[in-house]
Amino acid sequence: MSEAVVHEDHHEHHDHKPTGIGRWLFSTNHKDIGTMYLVFALIMFFIGGAMAMVIRLELFQPGLQYVDPLFFNSMTTMHALVMIFGAVMPAGVGLANWLIPMMIGAPDMALPRLNNMSFWILPFAFALLLGTLFMPGGAPNGGWTMYPPLTIQLGDAFPFLIFAVHFLGISSIMGAINVIATVFNMRAPGMTFMRLPLFVWTWIITAFLLIASMPVLAGAVTMMLTDKFFGTSFFSAAGGGDPVMFQHIFWFFGHPEVYILILPAFGIVSQILPTFSRKPLFGYESMVYATASIAFLSFFVWAHHMFTVGMPLAGELFFMYATMSIAVPTGVKIFNWVATMWRGSLTFETPMLFSLAFVILFSIGGFSGLMLAITPVDFQYHDTYFVVAHFHYVLVTGSVFALYAGVYYWLPKWTGHMYDETLGKWHFWISTISVNVLFFPQHFLGLAGMPRRIPDYAVQFADFNMVSSLGGFVFGVSQLLFVYIVIQCVRGGEKATNQVWEGAHGLEWTLPSPPPFHSFTTPPKVTDATAHS
Amino acid sequence: MFVKKLKDGVVGAVTMFSLLWAGTVSAEWGLNMTPGVTPISREVYDLHMLILYIVTAIGIIVFGVMFWSIIYHRKSKGAVAKQFHHNTFAEIAWTIIPILILVAMAIPATKTLIKMEQTGDAEITVKITGYQWKWKYDYLEDGLSFYSVLAQDSNEARQVGSSIDPAGVDHYLLDVDEPIVLPVGKKVRLLTTAADVIHAWWVPALGWKRDAIPGFINDNWAVIEEPGTYRGQCAELCGKDHGFMPIVLKAVPEAEYVAWVEEKKAEAAARAASGDKEYSMEELMVNGEDLYNKNCASCHMANGQGVPGVFPSLLESQLTITSEGLAEHIDRIINGKGLMPAFGEQLSDADIAAVVTYERNAWGIDTGDIVQPADIKAAR
Amino acid sequence: MSEQNVIKTAGKLGVLAVLMFGFGYALIPLYNVFCEITGLNGKTGTVSSQQVEKIVVDMNRVVTIQFDTNINGNLPWRFKSVEKKLRVHPGEVKDAVFVVENTSDRAIVGQAVPSVAPAEASIYFNKTECFCFTQQTLAPGETKEMLVRFVVGNELPDKISTMTLSYTFFMAPEDKQAADRKENTTEQQI
């Protein structure tokens, strides 16, 4: 991109706000791109959710009623890929786009053109991926972890899967570069690093994780591609390769990926709890260091996903101890949140309710995570529904709940209208109850011996599966309420004030609601008093 | 109104915890891990319970403090926020205490793990090989070798739209034709490997699972203390019928085990001799249907139509419907190709003869070809 | 803020991303070195015959070596070991014989891959000669006897008393691709 083009671009924006389809297609505005990311994530959330409904419908009772096992495997594989890469990650990037410039006192993101590209790659990547559903031989069905040799058996869909993963990787790396470039170069005067809101901090760390781990995934799938079509043998034992090698490389990406999904959620909750407790965040510095150490440790724990492949004792012990040690900084974060609420003046608007549920339910996911870290017991838990319950507690009641909290929290700022609080609370209570009915019994199923990724099961697992499916259907349908609430809020409603929430602090709340097209055209002065409460 | 909702929430959370608690004490409800039947599985169970109790206690304390805030420090009760945001003592305490708890967990875990690795001095070694989608057991000392596939009644019931009620099937999806038989009270070494993709062999009663990886051999061990039948499943996604390759382990007293080995050896000798016999069309069709359903139907389906785009239809293959295809048809079953496994080592001459005859005369193909074991022998 | 600083930051991060892509590939040799040192995944060691002469035989210890054979996928070969097991002293040089037969009507290239269980024992299992060092070509119906000469290191930990040496024969990757192509064309012809 040449300098001239950049300048021309800026002029255009200063003059007037573009209209029509062109506004979205060629948008370089952080708010418009943020909105597109969020809408895209919501659409993907419903596509991935529809797949989950198919899974729960088939598992409603023993016997195969609706789909054949191969299609079932496609559903579990695609559900994971769509939810991780299509829903949760883009939603996080959407929030980052909307909020980071407003939080650090910048007019826009540092690299607006890159921002536009990184978004528009996504629909293409997902067209490639979802298109495989209509191919002979079906969509990818070897699990989202794509282990060879099973995934190499995949038919026509194989290259589409690989290239979709490449595109998704490129998109998120570009997004991450943009976040770091923005925060490093565009902070308002006085906005030192230790005055950054925690949401911004968690996103910087997430962005580094993305840049360090996504290329490794791209490398792993490229090796698999050349193994299948160009006669290399990275992962085939016949040519001197090793299928377990793929698992090592995959999880070297995969474990940081887990934190890519959850760290922005930590950031969101760290913004919301102080607001509704009317109290500053407890232990700001230790929050920053805890987040950084979680991210750092995440590169040394990958093999806990593969204890059962058969490692030497020393390896198993190392990865067990390293994994257990992550509980310490995670614990610090949870204790800090609880201490933030302690002796506060609490009110319970929808964002707060989702954040409270996040703290409790994410902790339950953390507890089962600690159990999974214990190697000898993991030999029992591994690849059972106990693991399914664990990561859904962390990702649904963790990441997704935090994203909901964030959307309710900032929606009045974005739209200029208050959402319907009563409906928001309904959405919260129905979701929270049904999500627990959905996932809690899965702990029991796993402990009782039900493996994951099976389309049919022995009759002793029938009762809990039925309960779980019922919870799943209610949870699935109740998310439509969220769409209704958002649309209603965009269209109108009670005018939101600039500060919106009584206890809200931070630069974004000094802007009008909705904020102007360019957030801060003249940088604000930040002092200790105006920084993160 | 809101307070009521919150109370409901608290009641819900309490119910959830009591459920969790119930889970820890009543194994018979299928809520919890079972202690299993080996010294290792009992240690694993104890470890599981220890950590479950620890995290439950931590949860009660942390969530207790949180709910205290939620109930007493609310604005509607006139609470005024204190503006503190640091407490060095508390921050150090809640870093150090978790570290101590983790160390306390790590010590017994390390001890158990070291014991699990002691695979030496076993009296019996069984090699377990994972196939898409069955298991093979090789008794290395006795030279016994056999395959173990999903039991036929489960296999029929699990087809899409079979309209057979799984509840009426004996051990639905957890039953096989040939269980692995092991003696009680002896140290048994179990090796795992695979012939195609990665599988994982898991019998919960033994307290562990282990991946079966092509080209690599893993080892593990067990001393089973109580006679009985223990069931498990493949635990690593291995393709279409991953959910349909169960494991049944029969633990029997020593004497019974010795008798079983002798019986198996005699059976193997009889099978080897079956290649010289001549069969009638009816015999071949009856045996063929049975063998087809066991070995072939998971891909080519019970009606021979396969899965479009993945597994070819036998009704349209030149190999099965034309007489020119016969030699290649036999070759394909013996040697396999691509995704089609090689059955040459798994099935006897008589078995392959029956399957080939069945495939050439079922579902209205009716080539009239009768293939005898001698033809298969010649083709090998 | 300046445009230049932004480009500089973005450039550095882009380089980092490219380096990490390379790091994914670098993990392969790193992993192999790691495996050789730790015996991860049962990769066995290799010693030269000169080194073997220097090893002291420990006559007080006996270790049982089991032999195991596997055929991967659709390779139409039969593969057996002559000895089921051998009892050896650490440091002692021993031979084991394996027999392989091509049961098909075409010449096939195969590659044997060794693996040792328990994994921790594998670094003490040293081969001076092995049919797994090179690819094996078998004519239609050919039977071949193959030799492994090995020595168990005398620093083998006391807790290990039984080891399994397992070989899996794979169809060589080039041969497999050629075979798949050939069979695809025959399929079309019929």
Side-chain angles (χ1 to χ4, degrees):
Chain A
M1 136 172 53
S2 80
E3 295 254 319
V5 177
V6 177
H7 284 295
E8 188 186 62
D9 206 45
H10 276 232
H11 278 295
E12 197 178 273
H13 281 180
H14 283 297
D15 296 343
H16 59 92
K17 189 164 155 176
T19 49
I21 184 86
R23 168 179 170 191
W24 302 104
L25 231 76
F26 306 112
S27 177
T28 52
N29 178 276
H30 76 100
K31 298 189 187 72
D32 284 353
I33 293 174
T35 303
M36 288 196 291
Y37 264 113
L38 288 169
V39 170
F40 179 80
L42 190 63
I43 293 169
M44 285 297 145
F45 185 64
F46 278 93
I47 293 176
M51 293 170 179
M53 293 298 107
V54 174
I55 293 167
R56 283 316 326 170
L57 184 68
E58 185 52 66
L59 293 175
F60 185 70
Q61 53 183 0
L64 283 173
Q65 285 82 22
Y66 308 100
V67 297
D68 74 88
L70 212 53
F71 185 73
F72 183 91
N73 290 348
S74 290
M75 285 294 103
T76 54
T77 305
M78 296 290 278
H79 165 73
L81 290 170
V82 168
M83 285 304 200
I84 292 169
F85 293 104
V88 176
M89 284 171 72
V93 181
L95 286 177
N97 256 298
W98 252 105
L99 297 169
I100 287 176
M102 298 204 295
M103 283 179 161
I104 63 170
D108 205 309
M109 294 295 275
L111 298 154
R113 285 291 176 98
L114 194 74
N115 210 4
N116 173 288
M117 265 195 286
S118 70
F119 171 77
W120 280 109
I121 288 173
L122 278 183
F124 285 105
F126 275 93
L128 281 181
L129 189 63
L130 294 172
T132 59
L133 279 167
F134 306 100
M135 285 182 176
N141 47 37
W144 84 278
T145 50
M146 300 178 281
Y147 285 180
L150 180 63
T151 294
I152 292 180
Q153 288 185 350
L154 183 62
D156 297 349
F158 182 80
F160 289 83
L161 169 68
I162 303 297
F163 288 122
V165 169
H166 278 151
F167 281 125
L168 293 170
I170 290 168
S171 161
S172 45
I173 289 167
M174 286 173 17
I177 288 176
N178 209 348
V179 166
I180 296 175
T182 306
V183 180
F184 277 24
N185 297 296
M186 299 182 66
R187 279 166 290 127
M191 180 58 90
T192 59
F193 273 97
M194 283 323 247
R195 282 176 182 166
L196 286 174
L198 256 182
F199 177 76
V200 181
W201 256 118
T202 53
W203 243 109
I204 300 174
I205 294 165
T206 304
F208 274 109
L209 283 180
L210 276 167
I211 294 170
S213 71
M214 288 306 287
V216 178
L217 173 68
V221 297
T222 310
M223 290 180 224
M224 199 145 68
L225 185 80
T226 56
D227 267 11
K228 185 167 167 107
F229 294 115
F230 303 104
T232 60
S233 7
F234 290 104
F235 308 128
S236 117
D242 179 351
V244 176
M245 180 75 223
F246 178 86
Q247 300 186 18
H248 281 289
I249 305 178
F250 181 86
W251 287 113
F252 185 86
F253 144 80
H255 202 77
E257 168 69 19
V258 173
Y259 292 102
I260 289 167
L261 300 170
I262 199 69
L263 290 185
F266 288 171
I268 295 166
V269 170
S270 303
Q271 300 297 128
I272 294 173
L273 288 177
T275 297
F276 296 97
S277 304
R278 290 164 184 77
K279 216 175 136 250
L281 182 71
F282 187 92
Y284 173 89
E285 285 88 356
S286 66
M287 282 300 221
V288 173
Y289 296 132
T291 311
S293 42
I294 289 172
F296 177 75
L297 285 172
S298 75
F299 284 105
F300 303 96
V301 298
W302 76 87
H304 70 215
H305 293 272
M306 36 189 293
F307 279 141
T308 61
V309 298
M311 270 178 268
L313 184 63
E316 287 174 335
L317 289 175
F318 171 80
F319 286 109
M320 172 169 80
Y321 299 150
T323 306
M324 289 171 82
S325 70
I326 289 194
V328 177
T330 313
V332 166
K333 296 198 77 103
I334 289 167
F335 299 139
N336 281 345
W337 287 326
V338 174
T340 302
M341 282 182 266
W342 187 253
R343 314 228 63 168
S345 170
L346 276 63
T347 52
F348 302 92
E349 289 83 349
T350 309
M352 181 64 163
L353 288 176
F354 272 108
S355 301
L356 293 175
F358 168 91
V359 175
I360 292 176
L361 299 174
F362 172 78
S363 298
I364 291 178
F367 290 148
S368 53
L370 185 58
M371 296 170 79
L372 285 159
I374 311 294
T375 316
V377 204
D378 179 74
F379 290 150
Q380 283 282 42
Y381 303 140
H382 179 78
D383 265 340
T384 67
Y385 259 80
F386 190 80
V387 178
V388 177
H390 158 70
F391 65 70
H392 281 98
Y393 264 86
V394 176
L395 288 180
V396 180
T397 59
S399 302
V400 174
F401 267 36
L403 289 166
Y404 274 143
V407 170
Y408 281 113
Y409 184 54
W410 283 295
L411 198 57
K413 170 59 61 188
W414 299 338
T415 60
H417 309 127
M418 297 305 287
Y419 61 87
D420 187 329
E421 190 63 55
T422 315
L423 284 182
K425 282 183 176 144
W426 272 103
H427 175 222
F428 168 77
W429 283 108
I430 298 172
S431 298
T432 304
I433 292 166
S434 60
V435 86
N436 282 292
V437 175
L438 164 58
F439 293 122
F440 208 84
Q442 295 184 358
H443 290 115
F444 305 143
L445 285 171
L447 293 176
M450 180 168 162
R452 63 191 279 207
R453 293 166 163 169
I454 56 173
D456 192 7
Y457 48 81
V459 276
Q460 70 255 38
F461 304 128
D463 295 345
F464 281 128
N465 267 299
M466 190 177 279
V467 171
S468 178
S469 285
L470 289 172
F473 300 147
V474 175
F475 183 72
V477 172
S478 59
Q479 302 320 302
L480 292 168
L481 185 57
F482 174 73
V483 179
Y484 175 77
I485 295 168
V486 171
I487 292 174
Q488 194 192 38
C489 178
V490 170
R491 290 185 147 188
E494 190 195 326
K495 262 321 272 145
T497 60
N498 288 3
Q499 201 192 1
V500 183
W501 310 106
E502 186 189 42
H505 290 281
L507 287 179
E508 78 268 34
W509 307 109
T510 62
L511 289 169
S513 306
F517 198 61
H518 292 283
S519 299
F520 287 95
T521 36
T522 44
K525 276 259 184 295
V526 181
T527 61
D528 237 0
T530 55
H532 66 85
S533 45
Chain B
M1 153 110 182
F2 174 67
V3 179
K4 199 196 152 289
K5 272 185 199 158
L6 188 83
K7 274 186 189 146
D8 289 350
V10 174
V11 171
V14 169
T15 319
M16 210 50 98
F17 268 96
S18 42
L19 259 179
L20 182 73
W21 183 255
T24 64
V25 289
S26 5
E28 65 273 18
W29 296 355
L31 287 167
N32 195 12
M33 190 186 281
T34 51
V37 290
T38 70
I40 286 292
S41 72
R42 272 187 265 276
E43 270 191 41
V44 165
Y45 173 80
D46 290 341
L47 208 48
H48 158 71
M49 293 312 290
L50 171 74
I51 297 158
L52 184 57
Y53 286 131
I54 292 175
V55 297
T56 309
I58 297 173
I60 289 170
I61 295 168
V62 174
F63 302 153
V65 173
M66 196 172 150
F67 275 104
W68 187 276
S69 283
I70 291 173
I71 294 163
Y72 294 104
H73 304 152
R74 52 174 61 212
K75 199 186 175 198
S76 57
K77 285 208 165 175
V80 179
K82 299 264 185 299
Q83 293 300 311
F84 67 86
H85 53 82
H86 267 292
N87 185 324
T88 313
F89 173 75
E91 287 180 66
I92 290 173
W94 64 49
T95 311
I96 302 290
I97 294 170
I99 292 176
L100 297 178
I101 295 174
L102 289 173
V103 171
M105 286 180 185
I107 291 167
T110 306
K111 283 185 185 157
T112 304
L113 194 58
I114 290 171
K115 273 187 212 163
M116 290 177 114
E117 303 288 327
Q118 309 290 323
T119 56
D121 299 321
E123 293 180 59
I124 295 168
T125 309
V126 181
K127 181 180 71 174
I128 302 161
T129 312
Y131 287 80
Q132 283 177 317
W133 294 278
K134 58 184 156 255
W135 297 99
K136 183 188 181 195
Y137 300 106
D138 288 281
Y139 289 65
L140 295 190
E141 286 84 2
D142 289 309
L144 280 183
S145 172
F146 59 89
Y147 291 83
S148 178
V149 301
L150 181 66
Q152 190 49 34
D153 50 351
S154 287
N155 196 25
E156 278 165 21
R158 65 107 176 169
Q159 302 301 328
V160 183
S162 72
S163 70
I164 300 170
D165 180 12
V169 178
D170 217 20
H171 298 290
Y172 178 61
L173 297 188
L174 292 180
D175 203 9
V176 297
D177 61 342
E178 292 266 15
I180 170 175
V181 178
L182 293 172
V184 293
K186 290 209 159 190
K187 185 165 183 178
V188 183
R189 187 155 165 262
L190 297 162
L191 304 169
T192 49
T193 186
D196 34 49
V197 300
I198 301 172
H199 304 264
W201 195 83
W202 181 36
V203 175
L206 301 189
W208 49 264
K209 67 175 70 67
R210 191 47 67 94
D211 286 2
I213 304 165
F216 293 88
I217 193 124
N218 269 323
D219 66 342
N220 227 312
W221 66 277
V223 176
I224 302 169
E225 291 175 336
E226 288 162 42
T229 304
Y230 307 109
R231 294 166 200 278
Q233 283 177 271
C234 176
E236 177 65 51
L237 180 61
C238 57
K240 177 172 163 287
D241 282 353
H242 162 57
F244 307 102
M245 48 183 291
I247 297 149
V248 179
L249 189 163
K250 253 177 84 179
V252 296
E254 169 81 40
E256 212 176 303
Y257 173 74
V258 173
W260 175 81
V261 170
E262 289 313 313
E263 187 193 321
K264 273 288 178 195
K265 282 182 176 166
E267 247 176 56
R271 236 164 70 102
S274 71
D276 304 328
K277 217 182 134 187
E278 284 265 326
Y279 290 87
S280 73
M281 179 75 161
E282 286 71 35
E283 283 172 313
L284 289 168
M285 287 299 280
V286 170
N287 294 344
E289 180 169 10
D290 185 43
L291 288 159
Y292 178 87
N293 285 331
K294 246 188 197 173
N295 295 293
C296 320
S298 58
C299 297
H300 297 291
M301 311 312 286
N303 57 14
Q305 287 173 358
V307 177
V310 193
F311 305 116
S313 163
L314 301 180
L315 277 57
E316 288 154 20
S317 167
Q318 300 301 311
L319 268 56
T320 45
I321 62 177
T322 66
S323 20
E324 297 80 53
L326 177 61
E328 185 140 5
H329 182 187
I330 294 172
D331 177 72
R332 189 60 44 88
I333 291 175
I334 295 175
N335 293 323
K337 181 208 144 191
L339 281 186
M340 168 79 184
F343 284 95
E345 289 290 304
Q346 303 178 28
L347 299 177
S348 69
D349 292 346
D351 291 345
I352 295 178
V355 169
V356 173
T357 307
Y358 177 72
E359 288 179 344
R360 304 182 75 77
N361 294 288
W363 319 297
I365 295 178
D366 296 329
T367 56
D369 294 339
I370 298 180
V371 179
Q372 291 294 347
D375 302 326
I376 307 297
K377 206 172 191 176
R380 281 193 194 254
Chain C
M1 123 208 198
S2 91
E3 205 81 37
Q4 254 184 337
N5 284 344
V6 168
I7 303 291
K8 220 188 257 172
T9 317
K12 279 184 202 158
L13 294 170
V15 170
L16 178 63
V18 173
L19 286 178
M20 286 311 291
F21 184 78
F23 180 73
Y25 278 83
L27 276 173
I28 301 236
L30 284 175
Y31 177 75
N32 286 338
V33 169
F34 187 70
C35 285
E36 269 165 38
I37 296 168
T38 61
L40 186 71
N41 279 329
K43 302 222 169 170
T44 53
T46 308
V47 289
S48 68
S49 30
Q50 290 98 312
Q51 283 171 294
V52 167
E53 284 162 18
K54 292 184 202 132
I55 299 176
V56 185
V57 181
D58 181 354
M59 296 302 286
N60 298 323
R61 253 187 100 186
V62 181
V63 182
T64 306
I65 312 287
Q66 294 176 319
F67 300 101
D68 171 50
T69 56
N70 300 282
I71 293 287
N72 183 267
N74 297 330
L75 179 65
W77 286 13
R78 227 170 263 157
F79 181 33
K80 296 275 174 282
S81 64
V82 172
E83 299 88 359
K84 273 185 191 158
K85 58 180 170 190
L86 283 176
R87 292 172 62 76
V88 304
H89 300 292
E92 185 183 13
V93 181
K94 280 274 186 179
D95 289 349
V97 179
F98 291 76
V99 180
V100 66
E101 181 195 352
N102 181 354
T103 58
S104 79
D105 55 3
R106 62 190 173 93
I108 296 175
V109 186
Q111 170 69 53
V113 173
S115 179
V116 168
E120 273 153 310
S122 55
I123 41 170
Y124 307 102
F125 192 94
N126 298 301
K127 303 178 302 273
T128 57
E129 232 182 286
C130 180
F131 56 91
C132 58
F133 293 163
T134 52
Q135 293 187 336
Q136 305 288 329
T137 309
L138 259 68
E142 186 187 347
T143 303
K144 201 173 187 177
E145 282 206 349
M146 302 174 306
L147 181 83
V148 180
R149 180 161 295 158
F150 65 91
V151 53
V152 176
N154 46 17
E155 59 290 10
L156 182 78
D158 287 339
K159 60 172 188 175
I160 299 171
S161 56
T162 311
M163 297 164 70
T164 305
L165 172 64
S166 173
Y167 281 103
T168 305
F169 250 113
F170 287 79
M171 199 181 284
E174 311 83 68
D175 209 25
K176 189 168 161 52
Q177 283 196 330
D180 286 350
R181 266 198 299 277
K182 187 182 142 255
E183 291 190 14
N184 275 336
T185 43
T186 40
E187 182 96 317
Q188 281 154 10
Q189 280 159 3
I190 289 185

